[in-house]
Amino acid sequence: MEMEEDSLNVNARNILEYDEDLYVKMVRYPLEVLAIFDIVLMDMAVRLRPLWEKHIQVRIFNLKDTVNMRDLNPSDIEKMVSVKGMIIRCSSIIPEIKESFFRCLVCGYSPPPSGVDRGQVEEPTRCGRPECAALNSMALIHNRCRFADKQIVRLQETPDAIPEGETPHTVSLLMHDRLVDAAKPGDRVEITGVFRAMSVRVGPTQRTLKSLFKTYIDCLHLKKSDKGRLQAEDPLERDIQSDNYASFHEGDISPLEQEEQIQKLKALSKLPDIYERLTRSLAPSIWELEDIKKGLLCQLFGGTAKKLKSGASFRGDMNVLMVGDPGTSKSQLLQYVHKLAPRGIYTSGRGSSAVGLTAYVTKDPETGETVLESGALVLSDRGICCIDEFDKMSDNARSMLHEVMEQQTVSVAKSGIIATLNARTSVLACANPSGSRYNPRMSVIDNIQLPPTLLSRFDLIYLVLDKPDEQTDRRLARHLVALHYENPEVQSQQSLDLPTLTAYVTYARQHIHPKLSDEAAEDLISGYVAMRRKGNFPGSSKKVITATPRQLESLIRISEALARIRYSDVVERCDAAEALRLLEVALQQSATDHSTGTIDMDLITTGVSASERTRRASLVMAVRNLISEKMQAGGSTMRLMQLLEELRKESSSELSLQDLRTALTSLASEGVISFQGDGIRRL
């Protein structure tokens, strides 16, 4: 009563404890029983506040049994049901007339407003004023009628509820008043409502009805379910929810218990080894891979997204790529992060198309107009999109990721719909090398054959290599076998269980927004400059790029995530040092040029290292000099193998036929020689 709201949430379990017979009647005859509940509630409201005028509705939630969507039968019609699922589509808001107002066009007389009966408006046939009594002169006055909000929502089964080999079922929901826009596509919800059937006409102008009826659920209460996942952070939505939708997010815990839980989490964050504990708690069944787990932990916590007054914005989401040999538990890590992540969507490279990832245009079956359906990246907005088999994706599907990973939006312009959708998503991808095994003599680009523009957008690129070593293999084998014959659920005292880990990350994402301290900023700047300096070798004229500004942004995001892990509002020097170490570890693996042994960002940004580029240029120069010495312009031709032999005599380094062909092709493009088949002629 104090809140002055127009609805009261009633827990069905309390009704069951109070009177089982009442509960059974409420589930079987909800329309009659709920009407009585509303009358009783209004009586109480008027008794407490005599001037109370608002109509209050009872919203029932937490029924004893939830029904699977595919188990809804004709016997359930007009009964109260509770279903769980994921929202895949919301219609726009439809105004539904509640009270109609008519006026006579002849004399201007208006009868009192009339209600709506079974969705139909009774139009008066003659004017109610005896002096006028004109026939069919009453017109509906729009802006004097009362309308209520209504929305049609499609709910789909969650993947874990689908039986083997079946496709997911969907059901339509009807939302009214405050429930409109209470949930967005991608949310996992528990719906309590009345299952109803509706007759369908054969054609819009005919009165004949089809024998098949359409079913839908008239929604009474909506609760965001899925306690095992993190809640997505959104400061804007959090404000709305605190005033308006508090009831939809409260589980079954009281404010006192909530406060206790927060105190426990804060006590955990004060532990000196919390970073190591969290790392051990992430995928405890996977052995070692400590640095990779630390990177994934930083991705789960995320940096702070910033928006400047000038309109520029910096993303806070981190993107991580894992490349490696088969059987190094990459997909296991991916699945684990997917289970933890808020609004996570899991797709595989072969099974996703470009429009399936972003957005596609379809016809709405209810209204027949073209509508935009959200794809995987838009559905995982403010979550983590996990993409397995990243290397097997088609090129145009992969090109869709460029915009998402840096600008965090998806722009669509097709069939008359022009829109920019939010996709504030962290991307976690796994890829296998092109020859199934990683070849350490080739660059990362040659190994995974991804475009350099896409690779440079990943904050951390990890190589998970399978190196044979007897002692390590023995320890790994022991760990794997132990998982099968010992109780795998017994965790060490030092790691957190899944609900605690989830609560810990959720609280950090919602309430902790760290800022850089001056010392940490200085450390990051000096670390970045030091990384750049590594490329200038003393005495050499060539400069190798060892870091780009994107690496500096990555460093800031990682250090903010590390501060969030400690529940600290300030990024300190220890965070900056650990961020530099994590990035160095990832770069050391992925961007090391094997011919010189140094980090070279050109390997990731262009696919060719600086030393390789210099070697190619010197080979072209040597071939040009040799041809100008040995051959006259327009004279005889020279064979390819003959030229290779001559070059090998002069050169000290190893020369391959492929290198020579590349050099000759570049000379031919300059117009120095003509090169056909095996013969070379100087022009």
Side-chain angles (χ1 to χ4, degrees), residues 71-79 195 197 215:
D71 298 339
L72 287 171
N73 286 325
S75 59
D76 292 322
I77 289 176
E78 298 294 334
K79 288 185 184 166
F195 189 53
T215 56

Side-chain angles (χ1 to χ4, degrees), residues 289-343:
L289 303 181
E290 291 294 311
D291 284 324
I292 297 176
K293 285 186 187 178
K294 283 177 178 172
L296 293 179
L297 199 62
C298 288
Q299 186 182 30
L300 276 172
F301 278 88
T304 320
K306 299 168 200 72
K307 210 170 177 78
L308 307 182
K309 284 180 182 164
S310 59
S313 60
F314 296 104
R315 65 183 168 98
D317 300 305
M318 286 169 54
N319 302 317
V320 179
L321 173 67
M322 291 189 282
V323 186
D325 298 332
T328 45
S329 68
K330 298 187 300 296
S331 298
Q332 288 279 345
L333 277 169
L334 210 69
Q335 286 279 10
Y336 197 88
V337 170
H338 166 65
K339 283 196 185 85
L340 256 180
R343 295 170 64 93

Side-chain angles (χ1 to χ4, degrees), residues 116-358:
V116 179
D117 181 35
R118 295 193 201 91
Q120 295 203 336
V121 178
E122 281 294 323
E123 184 183 345
T125 48
R126 79 170 49 234
C127 177
R129 199 160 148 214
E131 294 90 72
C132 174
L135 274 173
N136 300 332
S137 66
M138 304 300 269
L140 187 74
I141 307 298
H142 281 224
N143 48 0
R144 298 285 297 275
C145 298
R146 267 193 336 113
F147 292 93
D149 291 342
K150 172 175 137 183
Q151 188 178 33
I152 299 167
V153 173
R154 294 292 286 178
L155 190 74
Q156 183 180 320
E157 278 181 307
T158 47
D160 40 85
I162 305 170
E164 292 82 27
E166 301 266 344
T167 52
H169 274 215
T170 57
V171 64
S172 288
L173 309 176
L174 227 66
M175 303 280 195
H176 291 280
D177 303 326
R178 273 190 44 207
L179 291 176
V180 167
D181 277 345
K184 305 187 296 296
D187 284 344
R188 288 155 194 266
V189 291
E190 186 179 331
I191 298 287
T192 309
V194 182
F195 189 53
R196 307 180 82 161
M198 175 175 66
S199 54
V200 186
R201 288 186 176 183
V202 174
T205 53
Q206 293 165 286
R207 294 197 63 174
T208 325
L209 298 178
K210 287 184 183 176
S211 58
L212 280 177
F213 279 48
K214 240 166 111 175
T215 56
Y216 65 94
I217 293 177
D218 207 341
C219 191
L220 290 171
H221 187 279
L222 176 148
K223 184 169 87 179
K224 298 245 177 113
S225 66
D226 221 0
K227 295 195 182 77
R229 284 171 180 266
L230 314 176
Q231 292 300 314
E233 52 156 341
D234 193 337
L236 182 81
E237 283 166 20
R238 213 165 48 240
D239 298 344
I240 300 174
Q241 285 164 3
S242 54
D243 343 316
N244 233 4
Y245 297 124
S247 57
F248 305 117
H249 300 277
E250 286 165 10
D252 309 321
I253 59 171
S254 63
L256 195 69
E257 287 173 2
Q258 214 166 355
E259 191 55 45
E260 269 177 33
Q261 199 180 8
I262 290 170
Q263 291 310 322
K264 270 186 200 161
L265 295 179
K266 285 186 175 167
L268 267 179
S269 69
K270 299 279 188 297
L271 294 173
D273 64 337
I274 183 64
Y275 182 40
E276 267 65 36
R277 268 192 194 207
L278 289 170
T279 312
R280 278 195 297 270
S281 315
L282 189 72
S285 61
I286 294 171
W287 186 73
E288 300 252 312
L289 303 181
E290 291 294 311
D291 284 324
I292 297 176
K293 285 186 187 178
K294 283 177 178 172
L296 293 179
L297 199 62
C298 288
Q299 186 182 30
L300 276 172
F301 278 88
T304 320
K306 299 168 200 72
K307 210 170 177 78
L308 307 182
K309 284 180 182 164
S310 59
S313 60
F314 296 104
R315 65 183 168 98
D317 300 305
M318 286 169 54
N319 302 317
V320 179
L321 173 67
M322 291 189 282
V323 186
D325 298 332
T328 45
S329 68
K330 298 187 300 296
S331 298
Q332 288 279 345
L333 277 169
L334 210 69
Q335 286 279 10
Y336 197 88
V337 170
H338 166 65
K339 283 196 185 85
L340 256 180
R343 295 170 64 93
I345 298 278
Y346 182 91
T347 71
S348 170
R350 266 275 173 254
S352 10
S353 63
V355 286
L357 281 176
T358 51

Side-chain angles (χ1 to χ4, degrees), residues 302-304 306 308 312-319 405-408 456-460 516 524-525 528 531 547-561 579-580 583:
T304 320
K306 299 168 200 72
L308 307 182
S313 60
F314 296 104
R315 65 183 168 98
D317 300 305
M318 286 169 54
N319 302 317
M405 285 170 71
E406 207 55 64
Q407 274 71 45
Q408 301 219 296
S456 68
R457 283 173 161 80
F458 282 103
D459 295 277
L460 297 168
L516 279 173
L524 288 175
I525 292 166
Y528 171 68
M531 281 166 83
T548 62
R550 272 191 177 150
Q551 267 67 48
L552 182 57
E553 286 195 358
S554 302
L555 280 173
I556 295 169
R557 277 192 286 273
I558 297 168
S559 51
E560 283 173 350
L580 277 160
L583 193 71

Side-chain angles (χ1 to χ4, degrees), residues 120 189 351 455 460 480 546 563 588 677:
Q120 295 203 336
V189 291
L455 267 191
L460 297 168
L480 263 177
T546 50
Q588 206 95 45

Side-chain angles (χ1 to χ4, degrees), residues 59-78:
R59 296 195 184 281
I60 306 287
F61 71 102
N62 203 6
L63 289 185
K64 190 173 70 173
D65 308 308
T66 55
V67 191
N68 264 342
M69 239 174 259
R70 55 185 68 231
D71 298 339
L72 287 171
N73 286 325
S75 59
D76 292 322
I77 289 176
E78 298 294 334

Side-chain angles (χ1 to χ4, degrees), residues 466-667:
D466 188 4
K467 292 178 182 156
D469 168 33
E470 192 174 339
Q471 283 184 321
T472 328
D473 294 347
R474 190 176 293 282
R475 297 215 310 275
L476 170 62
R478 199 164 277 142
H479 170 81
L480 263 177
V481 174
L483 282 181
H484 285 273
Y485 75 88
E486 289 175 3
N487 184 4
E489 295 304 313
V490 176
Q491 296 180 340
S492 67
Q493 292 300 310
Q494 299 298 312
S495 60
L496 313 177
D497 57 346
L498 195 62
T500 315
L501 180 63
T502 308
Y504 192 90
V505 185
T506 305
Y507 185 81
R509 283 181 75 108
Q510 285 183 352
H511 300 282
I512 313 284
H513 304 287
K515 298 243 183 327
L516 279 173
S517 66
D518 296 346
E519 298 88 16
E522 277 304 316
D523 282 6
L524 288 175
I525 292 166
S526 51
Y528 171 68
V529 173
M531 281 166 83
R532 294 279 290 188
R533 203 183 300 125
K534 280 183 191 166
N536 305 350
F537 302 114
S540 91
S541 56
K542 66 178 173 43
K543 290 201 172 29
V544 177
I545 297 173
T546 50
T548 62
R550 272 191 177 150
Q551 267 67 48
L552 182 57
E553 286 195 358
S554 302
L555 280 173
I556 295 169
R557 277 192 286 273
I558 297 168
S559 51
E560 283 173 350
L562 289 164
R564 268 185 169 176
I565 289 175
R566 295 183 296 107
Y567 279 12
S568 160
D569 285 324
V570 181
V571 178
E572 286 164 18
R573 296 186 74 163
C574 55
D575 301 321
E578 174 66 7
L580 277 160
R581 189 192 73 80
L582 280 174
L583 193 71
E584 246 349 56
V585 167
L587 281 182
Q588 206 95 45
Q589 292 177 322
S590 58
T592 306
D593 176 9
H594 282 279
S595 53
T596 61
T598 56
I599 290 179
D600 182 359
M601 273 315 285
D602 275 5
L603 267 175
I604 285 183
T605 48
T606 62
V608 181
S609 67
S611 62
E612 174 68 11
R613 209 176 281 133
T614 321
R615 197 179 69 80
R616 285 182 189 178
S618 61
L619 178 63
V620 170
M621 202 67 213
V623 173
R624 181 183 299 209
N625 293 342
L626 190 69
I627 285 173
S628 56
E629 279 173 31
K630 302 271 179 188
M631 300 165 71
Q632 280 88 30
S636 61
T637 57
M638 195 174 188
R639 301 245 83 69
L640 190 65
M641 294 311 289
Q642 191 185 342
L643 183 63
L644 186 63
E645 288 301 319
E646 294 279 351
L647 278 167
R648 277 183 177 160
K649 280 179 203 164
E650 290 181 18
S651 161
S652 57
S653 61
E654 185 64 35
L655 245 183
S656 70
L657 191 62
Q658 187 56 45
D659 290 343
L660 181 58
R661 279 184 189 278
T662 313
L664 289 172
T665 311
S666 73
L667 283 174

